[in-house]
Amino acid sequence: MERENKIQGNFITNIIDNDIRNNKNNGKVVTRFPPEPNGYLHIGHAKSICLNFGIALLYNGRCHLRFDDTNPEKEDQKYIDAIMTDVHWLGFDWGEHLHYTSDYFERLYSFALTLIEQGKAYVCSLSPDEIRKYRGTLTEPGIESPYRSRSIVENMDLFQRMRSGEFEEGAHVLRAKIDMASPNIALRDPTLYRIKQAHHPRTGQKWTIYPMYDFSHCLSDAIEGITHSICTLEFENNRPLYDWFLDQLPVPCHPQQIEFARLNLTYTVMSKRILLKLVSNGHVSGWDDPRMPTIAGLRRRGYTKEAIRMFCERIGVAKRDSMVEMALLEHCLRDDLNTRAPRVMAVLHPIKVIILNLPEGEVIPLQALNHPEKPEMGDRTIYFSREIYIDQEDFMENPPKKFYRLSPGREVRLRYAFIIKCESIIKDQQTGDITELHCTYDPLTQSGSGAQDRKVKATIHWLSAIHAIPADVRLYDTLFNVENPAAAIEHEPLENLINPKSLEVLTTCFVESELSQSKPGVIYQFERIGYFCLDSNDSGKLVFNRTVSLKDQWAKIQKQSM
RNA sequence: UGCGGGAUCGUAUAAUGGUAGUACAGCAGACUCUGGAUCUGCUUAUCUAGGUUCGAAUCCUAGUCCCGCAGCCA
């Protein structure tokens, strides 16, 4: 049960190390990931998933997936399905431990009965509004409900009738009898059960009362034999309540609740409320829009599970509120993709180049490496011909000092091909736009020939016009234009915060013909541009999502000179 | 002016009374048929003020600032 030392510890693994040293729980470690199925999982959940499943792996324990489905009004089977897909996709396995809080409704009900019998819970018939008023404020104690002194017999009767559906929503609730004067508001007779005439995705119409989080969560943990119940900081105030229920009731064990700081990422949001709003207001195409921080969105964008897990490892776990820079996520992505993504060439903003000294109809086959650092990934044949495309960015008519690429009279190497020289520029008579470049190639400079070691400053990507196939490319940028949109949204409408350039659609791109066979989930490096993958929305068209750009030194130089 | 937490380079995270370290970002250079990758070097931090101690990010005292809590949400 010793930790592998390759993984950096944190304050939670320190606690667990200690527990194991003291033989607490007989040295066992059982965790759980308890999502509410009311939305899609996002990168913040990934942190929790990696933490909980990671700890189980680390200590040779187990981690349960438990749907915390106690609020049927907001929950849906589609979210349950999506959550399971995402956790699996991240590479975690809950084995036979797929659970639902709703599986325990009967047992939770009888725990409630026990509490009533003990005189520690009562049916309160105050309205929601009255309950709020009786609760007091942050600085003033609450007042006891007039129903607090109902007899056990009456409470039993009323609670059973609540279950049998006799009452309207809001007519009664079951409350714990703790302390209306407690400085911790969570302890001022919290609600245990409320009446809801809603259809539950799993229990249908069977129940008309549903348990609240504070009551059901600790007991579900205890029922499952969870040893370490890891949750986020905002539940710290609720921990005394978590412990209170477990102390009152005959439960098999008493899990330890440990709180950590949730993940925040720059230029995006983790709030399910805001994410839902983005979806329902049509700011994005859905929960899996590639700009969304959802697992489904990241997957469609081309993120790999390895990159996400590496990221979750690198950000660490602590109790202080923090905001991680998006650059770290992108670094983890590039780091993973660089080692694995096959290389191909694509031209996003084509300019046509005519190779003057290569006759029409002549085609020169060339070998290109699929991965320059991994020869075992093989190579492929590409073709050089009289008409090729290069990217607009790789040509400048009046180049500044540090521009190494093609310009009039200058030479550049075509990747895996020849050195070409720009002889002249052809412009549109009317607009003055460059329509073609006329170049010559040096047949002695073929890549790999070794004979000609002529140095040129730059190598650029290109595509043979007759061999390339057209494609759309979607370039993504951050969804928001401010670092902390969740804070900004307090005093600015959502619309103003969305980055108008978060999606740029390019419809005149070309890619190597073999990409007609590509599949979503296979990420390519378009050499010198970035990582791209086929979009999973099957429109019959070739559409590539930019997963992430390559680091661009030239862009930085340009910025500095401005 | 209640209760519960938290404060370490720009960001995130280590150091459990003994050299303030690591990663990302930034800057500079080397190398390169991807201005990619890789490699090298550099800049930058213990919230404040006292105290204990040979020695304090760590312990004590007093402040300051930040976050959370008044759902029949989780």
Side-chain angles (χ1 to χ4, degrees):
Chain A
M1 299 258 183
E2 276 169 33
R3 286 200 283 131
E4 299 168 46
N5 32 10
K6 65 170 181 169
I7 291 176
Q8 165 113 53
N10 55 57
F11 82 99
I12 298 180
T13 57
N14 290 346
I15 290 171
I16 297 175
D17 287 340
N18 249 311
D19 290 344
I20 288 175
R21 212 168 292 130
N22 300 327
N23 202 35
K24 190 177 171 184
N25 309 306
N26 296 315
K28 280 207 310 204
V29 176
V30 184
T31 57
R32 100 269 92 112
F33 173 63
E36 183 189 10
N38 66 345
Y40 274 57
L41 259 27
H42 54 60
I43 183 82
H45 294 111
K47 177 180 182 183
S48 174
I49 292 166
C50 292
L51 218 207
N52 279 292
F53 280 93
I55 282 173
L57 250 24
L58 205 53
Y59 294 96
N60 216 350
R62 60 175 204 264
C63 180
H64 300 183
L65 176 62
R66 181 172 72 235
F67 287 99
D68 210 350
D69 55 348
T70 58
N71 187 1
E73 282 163 357
K74 292 190 176 162
E75 295 155 9
D76 199 295
Q77 184 63 40
K78 75 176 178 201
Y79 295 127
I80 295 178
D81 297 338
I83 288 168
M84 287 200 278
T85 300
D86 289 346
V87 177
H88 256 150
W89 179 75
L90 282 171
F92 295 107
D93 183 15
W94 51 85
E96 52 195 31
H97 290 284
L98 172 61
H99 302 297
Y100 296 83
T101 302
S102 57
D103 291 342
Y104 312 134
F105 279 174
E106 203 62 58
R107 293 168 79 176
L108 294 172
Y109 177 79
S110 66
F111 276 131
L113 255 21
T114 304
L115 238 28
I116 294 171
E117 279 166 10
Q118 293 174 346
K120 291 170 186 159
Y122 63 99
V123 172
C124 182
S125 309
L126 253 22
S127 71
D129 206 41
E130 289 167 324
I131 287 186
R132 184 163 18 92
K133 283 183 182 134
Y134 277 78
R135 187 152 32 226
T137 68
L138 294 178
T139 49
E140 303 160 66
I143 302 162
E144 292 185 356
S145 161
Y147 302 100
R148 202 176 201 257
S149 50
R150 284 217 256 235
S151 71
I152 290 173
V153 175
E154 190 184 2
N155 283 322
M156 281 293 212
D157 173 60
L158 249 17
F159 187 52
Q160 279 158 4
R161 286 161 63 195
M162 278 169 66
R163 178 183 181 166
S164 62
E166 204 171 301
F167 305 117
E168 297 284 297
E169 285 189 19
H172 310 284
V173 291
L174 186 70
R175 290 228 255 168
K177 193 186 289 187
I178 306 180
D179 178 9
M180 287 307 291
S182 171
N184 181 349
I185 292 176
L187 262 20
R188 319 242 261 233
D189 288 11
T191 302
L192 270 41
Y193 271 90
R194 73 288 212 195
I195 298 168
K196 271 185 196 292
Q197 315 287 350
H199 178 89
H200 186 282
R202 295 189 49 84
T203 60
Q205 309 290 347
K206 183 177 178 195
W207 292 86
T208 53
I209 55 171
Y210 291 92
M212 298 285 288
Y213 169 86
D214 287 308
F215 180 68
S216 60
H217 203 91
C218 55
L219 294 169
S220 301
D221 282 346
I223 288 169
E224 293 180 16
I226 303 298
T227 57
H228 301 270
S229 180
I230 300 166
C231 63
T232 42
L233 250 29
E234 70 271 23
F235 293 102
E236 212 152 17
N237 295 321
N238 303 41
R239 181 161 18 106
L241 189 50
Y242 184 101
D243 291 328
W244 188 86
F245 289 120
L246 297 180
D247 287 339
Q248 310 307 315
L249 291 162
V251 287
C253 65
H254 190 135
Q256 178 183 5
Q257 176 176 306
I258 304 170
E259 310 86 9
F260 72 99
R262 60 169 65 235
L263 170 67
N264 294 295
L265 243 195
T266 55
Y267 297 104
T268 189
V269 292
M270 296 301 163
S271 153
K272 275 197 208 172
R273 204 191 85 252
I274 300 176
L275 293 176
L276 179 62
K277 203 171 166 190
L278 289 168
V279 173
S280 47
N281 290 6
H283 292 115
V284 294
S285 64
W287 284 101
D288 70 341
D289 186 295
R291 292 166 292 179
M292 292 281 273
T294 51
I295 306 297
L298 294 169
R299 179 168 58 233
R300 186 167 158 200
R301 172 85 167 250
Y303 274 74
T304 59
K305 63 171 188 284
E306 288 81 1
I308 293 172
R309 289 173 66 160
M310 174 60 68
F311 172 72
C312 291
E313 190 63 45
R314 296 260 184 106
I315 55 178
V317 180
K319 293 197 71 157
R320 118 176 72 147
D321 291 309
S322 60
M323 170 85 66
V324 176
E325 289 174 345
M326 185 67 88
L328 181 60
L329 214 209
E330 295 191 339
H331 166 81
C332 292
L333 218 212
R334 290 193 184 101
D335 194 48
D336 179 45
L337 259 20
N338 176 49
T339 62
R340 319 189 308 174
R343 271 62 170 169
V344 292
M345 290 197 278
V347 177
L348 269 32
H349 299 99
I351 321 185
K352 185 168 277 186
V353 174
I354 310 293
I355 308 295
L356 300 170
N357 56 339
L358 188 64
E360 199 149 343
E362 191 169 329
V363 171
I364 302 173
L366 300 158
Q367 292 311 110
L369 261 20
N370 292 333
H371 194 303
E373 283 144 58
K374 286 186 157 182
E376 68 273 20
M377 284 177 69
D379 57 10
R380 65 191 188 284
T381 304
I382 57 175
Y383 300 96
F384 184 59
S385 64
R386 183 177 168 86
E387 288 192 12
I388 66 169
Y389 297 116
I390 66 169
D391 246 309
Q392 275 168 28
E393 292 186 356
D394 289 334
F395 177 81
M396 279 184 105
E397 187 173 5
N398 300 299
K401 279 248 160 27
K402 289 184 176 170
F403 185 82
Y404 303 151
R405 284 108 97 148
L406 198 62
S407 51
R410 292 227 300 228
E411 290 187 328
V412 79
R413 173 172 286 285
L414 295 181
R415 180 80 160 147
Y416 294 122
F418 302 91
I419 291 174
I420 60 167
K421 180 177 183 185
C422 179
E423 307 287 355
S424 60
I425 304 173
I426 310 301
K427 290 184 179 175
D428 184 294
Q429 301 283 10
Q430 255 81 52
T431 65
D433 292 344
I434 297 171
T435 53
E436 278 182 9
L437 300 176
H438 285 186
C439 297
T440 52
Y441 87 108
D442 182 343
L444 299 178
T445 57
Q446 182 173 339
S447 292
S449 64
Q452 272 294 47
D453 263 345
R454 200 131 63 76
K455 290 285 178 204
V456 284
K457 279 273 206 175
T459 299
I460 65 171
H461 57 276
W462 59 279
L463 244 21
S464 165
I466 53 167
H467 297 92
I469 57 171
D472 283 10
V473 167
R474 294 185 188 152
L475 302 179
Y476 299 103
D477 195 358
T478 55
L479 225 197
F480 292 93
N481 51 27
V482 291
E483 271 210 344
N484 187 351
I489 212 163
E490 301 292 327
H491 33 257
E492 188 116 30
L494 185 63
E495 296 69 35
N496 296 5
L497 303 172
I498 291 176
N499 179 3
K501 295 180 200 141
S502 64
L503 170 62
E504 186 185 354
V505 180
L506 271 27
T507 55
T508 57
C509 311
F510 292 99
V511 298
E512 284 186 39
S513 60
E514 67 170 55
L515 287 187
S516 63
Q517 302 305 313
S518 68
K519 301 244 182 326
V522 180
I523 296 96
Y524 296 88
Q525 186 192 97
F526 290 0
E527 290 214 39
R528 304 208 311 129
I529 305 174
Y531 297 95
F532 293 79
C533 68
L534 191 69
D535 188 72
S536 51
N537 260 19
D538 186 14
S539 58
K541 229 176 160 185
L542 270 190
V543 178
F544 289 93
N545 292 324
R546 181 173 68 191
T547 306
V548 66
S549 66
L550 247 30
K551 282 209 277 183
D552 190 345
Q553 193 66 34
W554 169 239
K556 203 178 273 181
I557 292 168
Q558 276 179 309
K559 225 179 196 175
Q560 282 170 355
S561 66
M562 266 157 46

